[in-house]
Amino acid sequence: MLCFNPEYRMRKAIGSVFIYKIDPYTMSLTGQKIIHPLNAIVLALINGKRSINEIIGLLAEVGGVDKEKANNFLTNFISNSANFLVNDRVNDLYKPEDFIIPVNDINMASFRLCSPLSLALLITYTCTSDCVYCYANRNSAEDKTEMDLKFAKIIVDQAKDCDVQLIYLGGGDPFIKPWCIELVKYIIDKGITVGLSTKEYLPIGKCEELAVAGIDHIQLSIDSLDTKIASDITGRPYFLTEIIETINNLQRFNIEVTTNRVVMKRNLTQIPELLGFLLKMGTKHIILSRYYRSTFRHSDEFFVSDDDVQWLLGMIDSVEGIQHANIARPRLIKDGMGNAKQIETFLSRTSCAFGRIGLVVTPSGKVIPCEQLPTITPFVLGDLHNATLEEVWRSKELMNLFHPHIEHFNSTTCHECEYFDKCIYDRGLCIRDVFKVCGKPFGIHPYCPHADYGVRLV
């Protein structure tokens, strides 16, 4: 029998339904798509237990149509939804009635979940590394309070109440906290997927604790096999030796390692050799992140050109064993939004996740839209010492940023633009990138064809 693929999940949104997968290796949501409530109802019906004839009968009965029309509808639906369906599985997690939305409330243009789905929980800003490209607000004068385990668990409890499905533990480096693994186990025991990333040295004992806690994957960063370059990038003289030993220690307990590196001028030519080395170590999940301007520390010398990236892409394909790896490659600017020439292309960009899918909690308990923004007004949406996560999600502070009044754009071309609603409300303004180029939350999007900041982001 056909079944809605259990690897996918559905969440009711305001006016639509969100379908997605959780990728533990990139610690992100993938396969994201907004679907009509009727499609979600049908996917819930296809649970691996009901026969096609049973589903046709239910559709005919509920829809008030004859079985022939219901059959034609279902046949077309199955044909167009092959990516979401599998054979010989069971998925009875969803009830069709949970996705009923009144016709007048259906909105397929503007998307926002009824509650947060993901949470970045920054339990500390402390880190033993001092990476040149770091985007964390580590030297913040306005947010020096450190989180304790008791408060962290309270936040996890609130996340569970909101049906959060993914918690990314970040900072800083979460392993600075001696109770990090206890918190990891607490999150897993709540049935929430946890994402972990570190540059810390993890001895065998700590890796065993992670395995016992239920961790089967983790992300590590390693930017070069050249000892000096690796040390210069991280600010740690023995970083390369320690991170390689950490990979070996994790693999002893069958914890899969995703390796990430930031592609910069400084390490560009060493990356192919590094990938070959990591593949021989048995790491099969590889992320190549093109350097992106940091809010808190930046140098133009870190940028790579499209020619650099094109060279790297060609070299990657020649690395032995690369065909067996799961690799996220850096994008060319001309293939992304960096030089969008037509408004139609710009308006088809990926929606910003802020206010739609997730939030960020700082070590002091303050909630902000993005970990790359400072903990200052108007970015502080609430404080979990005196408000719940759900209350912050519905707060006027959040909505003021998520759905800003047009008067905030008085001095920009946005104010008179015919696409304002579609651009700002439907697709979402990336206030992080706007802040990076002009130092304020509201302004023309840096990738808009009308933008002319003269400031490079990538």
Side-chain angles (χ1 to χ4, degrees):
M1 289 186 184
L2 273 181
C3 171
F4 173 44
N5 190 341
E7 292 183 6
Y8 282 94
R9 307 184 189 188
M10 290 192 290
R11 173 72 73 86
K12 191 175 183 179
I14 300 172
S16 61
V17 176
F18 183 57
I19 191 168
Y20 65 97
K21 291 194 292 187
I22 294 179
D23 185 344
Y25 303 110
T26 60
M27 298 179 296
S28 63
L29 305 178
T30 62
Q32 302 175 38
K33 189 175 182 180
I34 310 303
I35 63 174
H36 194 281
L38 177 59
N39 292 343
I41 290 169
V42 177
L43 286 173
L45 287 171
I46 305 175
N47 63 0
K49 293 181 177 180
R50 297 184 183 94
S51 68
I52 294 296
N53 285 335
E54 287 178 296
I55 297 171
I56 290 171
L58 289 169
L59 290 174
E61 180 181 349
V62 174
V65 297
D66 59 46
K67 288 189 175 183
E68 183 179 355
K69 287 185 177 179
N71 178 55
N72 290 338
F73 169 81
L74 185 60
T75 299
N76 289 331
F77 177 85
I78 291 173
S79 175
N80 294 325
S81 306
N83 291 340
F84 302 129
L85 302 174
V86 292
N87 285 301
D88 302 323
R89 301 277 293 277
V90 173
N91 184 359
D92 52 7
L93 182 62
Y94 303 102
K95 297 177 181 178
E97 57 268 27
D98 290 342
F99 300 106
I100 295 175
I101 297 176
V103 173
N104 292 337
D105 294 337
I106 294 174
N107 182 353
M108 299 298 293
S110 183
F111 160 66
R112 183 171 189 255
L113 292 173
C114 301
S115 60
L117 178 65
S118 64
L119 186 71
L121 182 54
L122 313 182
I123 60 177
T124 180
Y125 278 138
T126 304
C127 187
T128 57
S129 299
D130 189 25
C131 300
V132 296
Y133 49 68
C134 183
Y135 59 75
N137 191 14
R138 291 178 49 222
N139 299 313
S140 168
E142 69 276 355
D143 196 4
K144 289 293 187 182
T145 306
E146 287 284 304
M147 188 176 293
D148 59 28
L149 177 60
K150 180 180 178 181
F151 186 48
K153 287 183 175 181
I154 289 172
I155 296 172
V156 172
D157 290 340
Q158 292 185 11
K160 180 64 176 178
D161 291 341
C162 290
D163 198 24
V164 165
Q165 296 293 306
L166 173 64
I167 293 180
Y168 164 68
L169 292 183
D173 197 299
F175 285 95
I176 290 292
K177 293 293 188 183
W179 44 260
C180 174
I181 297 178
E182 182 178 346
L183 181 62
V184 167
K185 186 177 187 306
Y186 191 78
I187 295 170
I188 292 173
D189 287 346
K190 293 284 182 180
I192 302 173
T193 300
V194 59
L196 275 174
S197 176
T198 187
K199 279 188 169 75
E200 283 295 292
Y201 168 67
L202 300 181
I204 289 177
K206 187 159 287 188
C207 294
E208 184 176 16
E209 289 179 42
L210 281 170
V212 171
I215 286 293
D216 57 10
H217 56 270
I218 192 170
Q219 182 174 303
L220 305 180
S221 294
I222 174 170
D223 298 299
S224 175
L225 276 183
D226 183 293
T227 302
K228 185 177 187 307
I229 292 176
S231 299
D232 288 346
I233 289 175
T234 60
R236 283 168 53 190
Y238 304 108
F239 173 78
L240 183 61
T241 301
E242 292 176 342
I243 203 70
I244 291 173
E245 187 174 336
T246 294
I247 294 174
N248 285 323
N249 291 343
L250 289 163
Q251 289 176 334
R252 285 185 60 173
F253 297 97
N254 298 315
I255 297 175
E256 290 198 63
V257 176
T258 296
T259 57
N260 183 33
R261 72 263 327 115
V262 176
V263 179
M264 303 182 294
K265 281 286 189 183
R266 190 177 300 189
N267 67 339
L268 176 70
T269 57
Q270 287 91 43
I271 289 178
E273 180 187 6
L274 173 61
L275 297 185
F277 176 81
L278 293 170
L279 287 169
K280 289 178 181 177
M281 285 191 71
T283 62
K284 300 298 183 184
H285 305 279
I286 295 170
I287 301 173
L288 295 167
S289 304
R290 187 169 180 168
Y291 173 74
Y292 203 85
R293 176 182 290 269
S294 168
T295 307
F296 305 105
R297 58 192 310 176
H298 165 74
S299 172
D300 279 356
E301 71 180 39
F302 299 153
F303 286 129
V304 290
S305 68
D306 265 5
D307 286 342
D308 292 330
V309 174
Q310 193 69 67
W311 173 85
L312 179 59
L313 292 173
M315 294 298 293
I316 289 172
D317 290 334
S318 65
V319 174
E320 184 179 353
I322 199 70
Q323 68 273 18
H324 303 300
N326 176 16
I327 182 167
R329 301 166 187 258
R331 293 178 62 183
L332 297 171
I333 293 177
K334 64 184 179 183
D335 291 338
M337 296 306 306
N339 70 338
K341 299 299 183 182
Q342 299 179 352
I343 196 68
E344 293 82 3
T345 304
F346 174 63
L347 292 174
S348 67
R349 69 188 185 275
T350 301
S351 294
C352 178
F354 160 60
R356 287 177 167 78
I357 298 172
L359 293 170
V360 177
V361 181
T362 71
S364 67
K366 293 182 174 64
V367 183
I368 58 176
C370 175
E371 58 189 336
Q372 297 187 44
L373 287 170
T375 316
I376 58 175
T377 304
F379 301 128
V380 177
L381 311 175
D383 189 329
L384 296 186
H385 286 96
N386 49 45
T388 66
L389 197 60
E390 182 178 3
E391 288 170 341
V392 173
W393 186 255
R394 302 176 186 279
S395 69
K396 67 178 184 347
E397 288 83 2
L398 185 149
M399 292 308 298
N400 286 342
L401 281 180
F402 174 71
H403 201 278
H405 194 278
I406 193 171
E407 296 309 314
H408 288 301
F409 299 84
N410 271 346
S411 60
T412 73
T413 56
C414 301
H415 190 269
E416 307 301 328
C417 181
E418 63 180 303
Y419 300 107
F420 181 89
D421 286 359
K422 185 173 183 180
C423 178
I424 304 299
Y425 298 151
D426 294 350
R427 305 312 299 171
L429 178 69
C430 181
I431 56 178
R432 175 201 69 186
D433 285 349
V434 172
F435 182 77
K436 284 182 178 183
V437 298
C438 67
K440 55 186 180 180
F442 305 118
I444 187 169
H445 195 294
Y447 291 155
C448 174
H450 301 301
D452 187 23
Y453 288 110
V455 177
R456 185 176 176 183
L457 282 175
V458 64

